[in-house]
Amino acid sequence: MSEQIKKIFEEFSCSGKFVSAKPYGSGHINDTFRVQVDEEVEYILQRLNTGVFKDIPKLMQNKERVCQHIRNKLLRNKISDITRKYITYYYTPKGKPYYKDYDGNYWTLSLFIKGSKSYDVIPNAEIAYQIGSGLGEFENRIADFDATLLIETIPLFHNVPRRLNDLKNAIAKAEPERLEKSKELLEYLARFDQPMLELQRMRDEGILPLRVTHNDTKANNLLLDANDRPLCMIDLDTVMPGLVHYDFGDAIRSACNSAGEETRDENEVFFKMDFFEAFTKGFMEKARNQFTYKEKKTLAQGCVLMTYLQAVRFLTDYLDGDHYYPITYPEHNLQRTKVQVQLLKEIEKHYDHINKFIQQYC
Ligand code: ADP
Ligand code: GN1
Ligand code: MG
């Protein structure tokens, strides 16, 4: 494997001679390797997921444009240490920001952000605050990005009717045993199908503005430095037009789950209210001025929507035979669904408090 990785690495024009590479991080979609060379610099080599992303050249164009925009803004504002605050991509001698191997795999090389780390499970409220602040900063950095320059890398990514249709198709084809095990979860989730159309309706009617959003704001997609200060949002594959509710809601879904989305025991899942308050404070301190009254008024619904959608997506994959999310044990996607459903129950229980807390920023 290392020999193959070395060969691919050498297709890019960058400094240093290959020393070693190891799988890195816990992302679900791309295959990520951290590459050491005979210099102080390190790299991230990724095999992009062509099952999920249909047009990799366009996807890379999106990512480069967004990074360039952020870089220009940092330069204009005379921010220090900027190379740790956006992703630097490397090119092949043909001038492409990706390499296509003989098996049709697409690879990209970027600078490993020095001294960075990310959390799958948030350890305390102070870190939740920093992650909220980092996401708020990211929203500011992309707020004036021209959405017409982006292609939609995954059409209808957070669209409820699309996700329900996928679920329906998976149910129709599911093995009876899997269907039986999903019964209670399906019944619980069905209660949300109608109310969860509300944000989409407000989006369609222009009541909520379309923005350029990240759309995959899981906590481990934000890099922090050694002192847990935010550096950079990564995983820009899904930067597309969307609602702020998607970014805020998905980050809350991820950061306020006491046990994290991969826990084997859903009874350990609680909604961490202190993390929520800290995250929201950090986020609003940075970005509140950007949002309309109506966006802030309805923002709490994003927490419900994104947790519900994630449950629907994991369950769809379980019923479909596990083709989207990588699994390490047979009922992994069923277990992931139980975790999201447990979190959804917790969010329902605390909804009034969540909503009230956000309203102070209106
Ligand atoms: P996926 O789409 O599979 O989630 P990501 O782009 O999020 O892939 O990368 C997976 C993990 O690799 C991240 O969660 C992060 O820990 C790490 N990572 C990715 N890019 C960088 C980078 N440029 N510098 C440091 N770490 C990175
Ligand atoms: C995937 O790539 P990663 O692991 O950061 C997924 C998200 C899900 C998340 C759940 C493109 O994110 O939408 O919320 O898994 N990304 C894509 O863990 O589908
Ligand atoms: Mg990721």
Side-chain angles (χ1 to χ4, degrees):
M1 187 61 180
S2 213
E3 210 29 55
Q4 189 207 351
I5 295 292
K6 176 173 183 278
K7 281 210 178 99
I8 289 157
F9 171 78
E10 287 168 349
E11 294 292 337
F12 291 90
S13 309
C14 66
S15 77
K17 280 208 163 42
F18 183 92
V19 172
S20 65
K22 52 178 192 286
Y24 189 70
S26 44
H28 287 323
I29 301 300
N30 303 304
D31 294 324
T32 304
F33 300 88
R34 179 171 172 175
V35 177
Q36 255 97 37
V37 294
D38 62 350
E39 292 180 7
E40 217 197 314
V41 64
E42 290 179 83
Y43 298 97
I44 287 282
L45 185 67
Q46 281 189 319
R47 178 169 54 201
L48 300 184
N49 189 324
T50 45
V52 172
F53 302 110
K54 303 301 172 198
D55 187 342
I56 303 282
K58 288 266 169 56
L59 169 90
M60 285 310 296
Q61 193 180 69
N62 271 11
K63 300 216 284 188
E64 281 201 293
R65 285 179 172 169
V66 171
C67 289
Q68 190 64 34
H69 179 85
I70 293 173
R71 180 171 185 273
N72 289 342
K73 185 164 273 186
L74 296 171
L75 283 171
R76 262 200 317 275
N77 293 329
K78 298 193 165 58
I79 305 288
S80 63
D81 193 19
I82 63 166
T83 55
R84 295 209 295 163
K85 293 172 184 160
Y86 64 88
I87 299 187
T88 304
Y89 292 102
Y90 291 85
Y91 293 80
T92 65
K94 286 185 187 156
K96 298 226 181 314
Y98 54 83
Y99 167 68
K100 189 178 180 187
D101 71 19
Y102 292 107
D103 299 321
N105 296 307
Y106 283 88
W107 297 83
T108 61
L109 188 74
S110 59
L111 185 66
F112 179 87
I113 298 196
K114 206 174 159 181
S116 68
K117 61 176 172 198
S118 62
Y119 290 95
D120 293 335
V121 185
I122 303 308
N124 58 55
E126 171 56 24
I127 293 177
Y129 170 82
Q130 295 297 344
I131 293 180
S133 172
L135 180 62
E137 189 69 77
F138 178 81
E139 306 290 6
N140 287 341
R141 289 177 187 162
I142 56 166
D144 56 348
F145 187 86
D146 178 359
T148 62
L149 296 174
L150 295 174
I151 65 138
E152 257 195 299
T153 53
I154 306 181
L156 305 176
F157 192 43
H158 296 316
N159 181 284
V160 174
R162 177 251 158 124
R163 293 296 176 192
L164 284 178
N165 195 43
D166 289 356
L167 179 62
K168 206 173 102 196
N169 291 336
I171 291 172
K173 289 191 297 182
E175 287 172 10
E177 196 195 323
R178 288 198 178 216
L179 201 52
E180 181 57 34
K181 286 186 172 150
S182 307
K183 224 173 129 212
E184 261 178 50
L185 296 164
L186 283 166
E187 276 165 18
Y188 174 75
L189 289 169
R191 292 175 30 206
F192 291 82
D193 294 353
Q194 279 308 313
M196 290 299 99
L197 295 170
E198 183 61 7
L199 286 174
Q200 182 71 42
R201 180 189 66 78
M202 289 193 273
R203 172 182 164 156
D204 294 342
E205 292 176 6
I207 297 167
L208 295 172
L210 215 49
R211 301 179 170 279
V212 174
T213 46
H214 183 286
N215 297 302
D216 185 2
T217 50
K218 197 160 71 163
N220 68 17
N221 285 330
L222 180 81
L223 299 183
L224 301 169
D225 71 12
N227 301 315
D228 290 318
R229 294 286 185 278
L231 285 171
C232 174
M233 272 311 284
I234 57 164
D235 206 349
L236 306 177
D237 299 335
T238 50
V239 175
M240 293 180 279
L243 299 178
V244 60
H245 303 66
Y246 304 156
D247 283 2
F248 181 79
D250 199 39
I252 293 296
R253 173 192 77 72
S254 161
C256 303
N257 175 342
S258 58
E261 63 183 59
E262 290 295 315
T263 180
R264 301 278 286 244
D265 182 2
E266 67 276 16
N267 298 315
E268 284 182 356
V269 173
F270 300 101
F271 185 79
K272 295 284 292 175
M273 192 53 82
D274 53 337
F275 291 14
F276 167 78
E277 291 184 356
F279 179 100
T280 304
K281 185 167 179 283
F283 181 78
M284 289 297 183
E285 278 173 7
K286 290 285 179 191
R288 65 183 293 185
N289 292 339
Q290 262 195 59
F291 307 126
T292 64
Y293 175 76
K294 194 73 190 171
E295 280 177 300
K296 287 182 268 195
K297 230 25 214 170
T298 55
L299 198 54
Q301 292 179 41
C303 307
V304 185
L305 175 72
M306 297 309 285
T307 310
Y308 157 83
L309 277 177
Q310 192 61 67
V312 168
R313 292 173 64 198
F314 282 145
L315 193 55
T316 302
D317 201 30
Y318 174 68
L319 291 167
D320 191 40
D322 308 312
H323 299 300
Y324 193 90
Y325 297 102
I327 56 165
T328 55
Y329 57 96
E331 300 204 332
H332 201 154
N333 276 318
L334 182 67
Q335 178 57 28
R336 285 170 172 151
T337 313
K338 289 181 183 167
V339 169
Q340 294 303 310
V341 162
Q342 182 60 26
L343 186 65
L344 193 50
K345 288 179 179 165
E346 282 278 299
I347 292 177
E348 265 197 299
K349 199 162 84 191
H350 296 295
Y351 187 78
D352 288 345
H353 185 142
I354 292 172
N355 193 27
K356 205 163 157 214
F357 189 82
I358 297 173
Q359 299 315 310
Q360 69 182 289
Y361 297 99
C362 277

